[in-house]
């Protein structure tokens, strides 16, 4: 699935000259939160005038707030191995990079890492691994998921494991589904085939078709929540957005389900990778904010994930434009939560090194409610069911109360005193802003947590 060049040229030709009245027409439609066609999206690429840019950002904020309220869901990545048989020229884990110390965590080490993550206050883990076929291979991923769910520490545990691992066969996806995973994530990196072929030099990942067809296999195997993404910086971001939207259309057409999330990593410096230091199509900070806002308007009901690759400043600027999930307190080296950040074992350099507590305090000050909710998939609200709820905007009736109750849990069990005080104030004022039904629902859950209950959700 790649975008044919003629189609791309046509869209970009239309986007060369900014027509303010066309842009305003598209923004007006976007504010109805029913999504945009690729042609409409391409009209937004041309915006550079500060006034129109402000209108674009305002529209994205409005749509985000209408659907997601002020919630931001938090998670931590867990790297279980940096062994890899591929040669992706942007990644430190690539097979021939002798500069990286290789490490695969044992079951005991995984449990120790999970404890450290749980003790920060996290409830969601994103399991990440290189693509290695040695030793137990795929079975070791399944075993790692079991270990994560089985590990407890004090009042805490991980309630949702999302997975970002190399493409699988339908049979393997079926086994993954049995492990009760949340979302299966995979980034296409670039949809532009010649660029894809240039940067993926050896190993199974060099096969474009195997990667781009991965979500079809996942959905065919019954995994209903899938997350897609692009590694921005490899090719023209506008092409990537159009191709990503086409990928979404195809999934919706064939399976009736679009992706649950879109990730928007930007290329970061990685040890042993020249390419990562000089991205061939670097995306400026302004274009990055634009692309997040455009995605929010184009596919309003799909979550957008921002990782700690980005700096504190960029993260603060993009939250309001459409981001719904963020990582915090992250390490990208296997064992990093126990042994600390080690550049020689990490995948790329982080932009945000703050602890979860600092990030939580910061987002509360910015007016957001941190959420550790894992309710939807545990109640079977995935795929079609999630979309049925999400599309008319009903998801807020569930997600708002669950955000408050899980945030309250965090404040009582893990927060520093300063964060707890800020958080309690934020809960009180945000509850006051809800309609009566929502407020009563949320208050009931919050009171239950204050009374000692844990893991309460609707
Ligand atoms: N190995 C599997 C794969 O490649 O799909 C899954 C895990 S891989 C560690 C997760 C993602 O990290 C990749 O899909 C890629 O987008 C991202 N990544 C790799 N190198 C990066 C870099 N230098 N900067 C930012 N993200 C990077
Ligand atoms: Fe391996 Fe994934 Fe890194 Fe490529 S991006 S080298 S497949 S870990």
């Amino acid at each position: 699935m790649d975008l044919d060049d003629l189609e791309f040229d046509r869209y970009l030709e239309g986007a060369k000259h900014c027509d303010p009245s066309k842009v305003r027409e598209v923004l007006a439609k976007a504010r109805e939160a029913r999504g945009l066609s690729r042609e409409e999206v391409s009209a937004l690429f041309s915006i550079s005038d500060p006034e129109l840019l402000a209108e674009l950002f305002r529209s994205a904020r409005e749509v985000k707030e209408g659907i997601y309220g002020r919630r931001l869901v938090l998670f931590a990545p867990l790297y279980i191995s940096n062994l890899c048989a591929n040669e992706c020229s942007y990644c430190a884990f690539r097979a021939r990079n002798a500069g990286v110390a290789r490490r695969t965590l044992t079951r005991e080490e995984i449990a120790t890492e999970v404890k450290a993550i749980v003790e920060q206050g996290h409830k969601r883990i994103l399991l990440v691994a290189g693509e290695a076929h040695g030793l137990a291979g795929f079975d070791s991923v399944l075993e790692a998921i079991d270990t994560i769910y089985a590990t407890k520490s004090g009042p805490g545990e991980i309630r949702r494991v999302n997975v970002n691992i190399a493409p699988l066969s339908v049979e393997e996806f079926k086994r993954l589904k049995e492990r009760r995973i949340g979302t299966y994530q995979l980034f296409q990196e670039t949809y532009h085939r010649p660029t894809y072929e240039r940067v993926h030099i050896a190993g199974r990942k060099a096969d474009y078709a195997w990667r781009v067809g991965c979500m079809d296999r996942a959905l065919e195997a019954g995994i209903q929540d899938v997350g897609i993404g692009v590694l921005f910086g490899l090719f023209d971001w506008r092409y990537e957005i159009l191709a990503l939207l086409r990928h979404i259309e195809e999934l919706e057409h064939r399976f009736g389900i679009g992706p649950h999330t879109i990730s928007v990593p930007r290329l970061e410096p990685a040890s042993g990778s020249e390419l990562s230091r000089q991205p061939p199509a670097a995306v400026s900070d302004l274009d990055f904010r634009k692309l997040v806002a455009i995605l929010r308007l184009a596919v309003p009901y799909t979550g957008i994930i921002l990782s700690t690759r980005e700096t504190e400043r960029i993260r603060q600027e993009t939250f309001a434009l459409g981001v719904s999930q963020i990582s915090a307190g992250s390490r990208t080296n296997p064992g990093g939560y126990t042994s600390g950040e080690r550049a020689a074992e990490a995948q790329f350099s982080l932009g945000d090194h703050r602890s979860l507590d600092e990030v939580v305090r910061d987002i509360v000050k910015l007016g957001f409610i941190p959420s550790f909710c894992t309710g939807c998939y545990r109640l079977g609200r995935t795929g079609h069911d999630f979309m049925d709820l999400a599309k008319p905007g009903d998801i807020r009736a569930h997600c708002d109360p669950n955000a408050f109750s899980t945030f309250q849990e965090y404040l009582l069990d893990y927060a520093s005193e300063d964060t707890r005080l800020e958080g309690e104030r934020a809960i009180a004022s945000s509850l006051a802003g809800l309609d009566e039904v929502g407020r009563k629902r949320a208050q009931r859950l919050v009171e239950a947590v204050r009374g000692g209950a844990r893991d309460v959700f609707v």
Side-chain angles (χ1 to χ4, degrees), residues 368-403:
F368 296 98
I369 292 290
S371 173
F372 296 87
C373 177
T374 56
C376 271
Y377 99 106
R378 290 158 80 211
L379 289 171
R381 289 195 295 261
T382 57
H384 289 290
D385 293 344
F386 178 82
M387 289 296 165
D388 283 351
L389 270 175
K391 291 217 160 146
D394 290 351
I395 202 73
R396 280 192 67 180
H398 297 273
C399 300
D400 277 344
N402 294 346

Side-chain angles (χ1 to χ4, degrees), residues 117-315:
I117 294 172
V118 166
E119 285 159 14
Q120 286 187 34
H122 280 292
K123 299 287 185 266
R124 288 179 177 228
I125 274 182
L126 172 66
L127 181 153
V128 187
E131 181 167 11
H133 304 294
L135 302 172
F138 177 57
D139 280 346
S140 64
V141 171
L142 301 178
E143 194 182 273
I145 297 170
D146 293 345
T147 306
I148 297 171
Y149 279 131
T151 304
K152 314 271 174 219
S153 181
E157 80 246 297
I158 294 301
R159 299 174 185 157
R160 175 174 179 136
V161 180
N162 296 334
V163 174
N164 184 333
I165 56 168
L168 302 173
S169 65
V170 174
E171 281 319 304
E172 287 169 327
F173 273 126
K174 285 185 179 160
R175 294 180 66 206
L176 192 63
K177 180 180 157 65
E178 286 167 8
R179 278 358 212 229
R180 298 182 298 116
I181 65 155
T183 310
Y184 170 73
Q185 289 185 0
L186 187 81
F187 313 150
Q188 182 57 29
E189 321 297 12
T190 172
Y191 284 92
H192 188 246
R193 194 182 287 261
T195 304
Y196 187 95
E197 284 165 2
R198 200 167 51 248
V199 299
H200 299 107
I201 298 156
R204 196 156 196 196
K205 192 159 165 185
D207 182 350
Y208 182 99
W210 173 247
R211 193 158 183 101
V212 88
C214 176
M215 292 313 178
D216 298 38
R217 298 192 296 278
L219 289 162
E220 223 178 292
I223 292 189
Q224 295 210 317
D225 282 351
V226 296
I228 60 176
V230 162
L231 181 55
F232 287 100
L234 295 175
F235 191 65
D236 189 329
W237 64 268
R238 299 165 303 172
Y239 179 99
E240 304 291 13
I241 296 280
L242 292 172
L244 187 113
L245 293 176
R246 190 153 110 188
H247 193 180
I248 293 175
E249 271 169 36
E250 285 188 12
L251 293 176
E252 282 180 342
H253 176 69
R254 281 212 300 281
F255 300 95
I257 308 177
H260 189 64
T261 54
I262 299 174
S263 296
V264 291
R266 268 197 296 185
L267 203 50
E268 292 298 328
S271 77
S273 159
E274 273 309 306
L275 185 100
S276 68
R277 275 163 227 288
Q278 288 175 339
V283 176
S284 70
D285 290 351
L286 177 61
D287 281 343
F288 187 66
R289 290 164 62 208
K290 248 170 93 170
L291 79 82
V292 169
I294 290 173
L295 277 177
R296 181 67 303 136
L297 298 176
V299 279
Y301 295 96
T302 307
I304 297 181
I305 303 182
L306 195 69
S307 76
T308 45
R309 290 173 180 86
E310 297 297 338
T311 60
E312 184 180 338
R313 184 179 61 79
I314 292 291
R315 277 156 60 93

Side-chain angles (χ1 to χ4, degrees), residues 72-79 113-114 116-126 128 158 305-312 315-316 319 323-332 336-337 341 348 350-364 370-372 407 410 419:
L72 267 180
V73 171
L74 288 145
F75 71 93
L78 171 62
Y79 281 67
E113 286 282 280
V114 173
I117 294 172
V118 166
E119 285 159 14
Q120 286 187 34
H122 280 292
K123 299 287 185 266
R124 288 179 177 228
I125 274 182
L126 172 66
V128 187
I158 294 301
I305 303 182
L306 195 69
S307 76
T308 45
R309 290 173 180 86
E310 297 297 338
T311 60
E312 184 180 338
R315 277 156 60 93
Q316 288 169 344
F319 290 161
V323 171
S324 53
Q325 291 189 31
I326 60 167
S327 51
S330 308
R331 298 279 184 275
T332 67
Y337 294 98
E341 249 179 289
F348 48 79
L350 296 177
D352 185 344
H353 301 264
R354 293 171 302 161
S355 68
L356 174 62
D357 190 73
E358 289 170 296
V359 172
V360 165
R361 194 160 60 240
D362 183 45
I363 60 182
V364 167
S371 173
F372 296 87
F407 183 36
Y410 173 81
T419 304

Side-chain angles (χ1 to χ4, degrees), residues 84-88 90-95 129-131 189 200 205 211 347:
C84 193
N86 293 323
E87 267 296 308
C88 310
Y90 44 79
C91 180
F93 294 171
R94 67 192 170 78
E131 181 167 11
E189 321 297 12
H200 299 107
K205 192 159 165 185
R211 193 158 183 101
Q347 194 194 7

